Amino acid sequence: MPGRSAGGSPASLDLERLIGDARRRLPRSHKALLEQIGVQDAVVNRWPDGVQAFYETLKATPPTAGDLANALAVWLPDVRVVAYNGDLLSHALDVHDLDQASVQRAVDNIAWHEYGHALSATRASSTTKRDGPRLLGLLPPGLRAAIDYPGGYRQMQVFDEVIANVYALVIGRAVQSGDYRMPSFLHPDVCDAFKAVVPWPPDAR
């Protein structure tokens, strides 16, 4: 499963290439950190069955179908894999409706979000993660609305989602415009929490 497509992606949308391009454009130090953590990417086209079957081959307890339902991508901590929902992404990113640059931007944002999730999940302590709901309340409305809490996420999951959303935002600004500053509209506590988990600005660009 890791590093390749499970079931084959439609020829019109090369998800593996798009995801690889998103990862290659990360700052050098962040790419190295993901490699050190052991983060791998995998496109799964039988969703959620393909993800659950992969866990079963490892004799591990898989995520529930409810945890995976309608997700474009998920971080699977037990196997250190970012799994991408190939079927859903292929429908959502119809190359007949979007130009290639728009498709790449969409995949970039999804991949960078999951890389931020992986960094937070593996580097933040349980004590730090308890601060998630408070930090969520400090996010600007647009970022805050993207995190379904209370509801879709449990209390100890909120911190990772906050970091993942901020990571996708700041990496997007860095890659697309060369701006490595933390956005002025982010609360200082959010910026401090982010920098405590993610090396920022990156050591090497």
Side-chain angles (χ1 to χ4, degrees):
M1 174 177 167
R4 61 178 184 273
S5 174
S9 298
S12 57
L13 184 64
D14 189 346
L15 284 172
E16 290 183 13
R17 180 184 59 78
L18 293 165
I19 293 163
D21 286 347
R23 185 159 177 162
R24 276 190 290 275
R25 293 204 309 284
L26 291 175
R28 190 180 314 153
S29 59
H30 286 197
K31 286 186 288 187
L33 188 54
L34 291 174
E35 291 171 6
Q36 178 185 335
I37 293 168
V39 177
Q40 299 185 69
D41 299 289
V43 178
V44 181
N45 285 323
R46 290 188 305 107
W47 191 279
D49 295 347
V51 174
Q52 293 175 316
F54 178 66
Y55 269 78
E56 289 167 6
T57 64
L58 301 175
K59 300 185 187 312
T61 303
T64 67
D67 289 337
L68 298 170
N70 300 318
L72 291 171
V74 292
W75 163 243
L76 303 174
D78 296 326
V79 291
R80 302 212 167 186
V81 167
V82 175
Y84 299 85
N85 187 336
D87 292 333
L88 187 55
L89 282 168
S90 295
H91 283 94
L93 303 176
D94 189 333
V95 294
H96 299 297
D97 295 331
L98 298 171
D99 60 36
Q100 187 65 27
S102 297
V103 171
Q104 183 68 66
R105 281 195 297 271
V107 172
D108 287 347
N109 190 64
I110 294 165
W112 295 338
H113 175 99
E114 296 304 330
Y115 297 149
H117 196 153
L119 291 171
S120 180
T122 55
R123 292 169 60 84
S125 68
S126 296
T127 300
T128 298
K129 291 184 181 185
R130 292 193 184 97
D131 205 25
R134 184 185 74 85
L135 295 172
L136 175 63
L138 300 177
L139 289 179
L143 289 177
R144 187 166 64 241
I147 301 173
D148 183 13
Y149 176 82
Y153 293 102
R154 296 184 290 275
Q155 179 179 348
M156 291 298 285
Q157 295 176 316
V158 174
F159 182 88
D160 291 343
E161 288 302 316
V162 170
I163 299 303
N165 278 276
V166 173
Y167 188 77
L169 171 68
V170 299
I171 283 291
R173 287 161 54 101
V175 170
Q176 293 158 14
S177 63
D179 186 353
Y180 286 82
R181 297 170 298 177
M182 295 298 291
S184 60
F185 54 79
L186 289 179
H187 192 282
D189 287 2
V190 172
C191 295
D192 289 344
F194 177 80
K195 290 179 179 181
V197 174
V198 177
W200 198 268
D203 293 334
R205 300 173 188 176

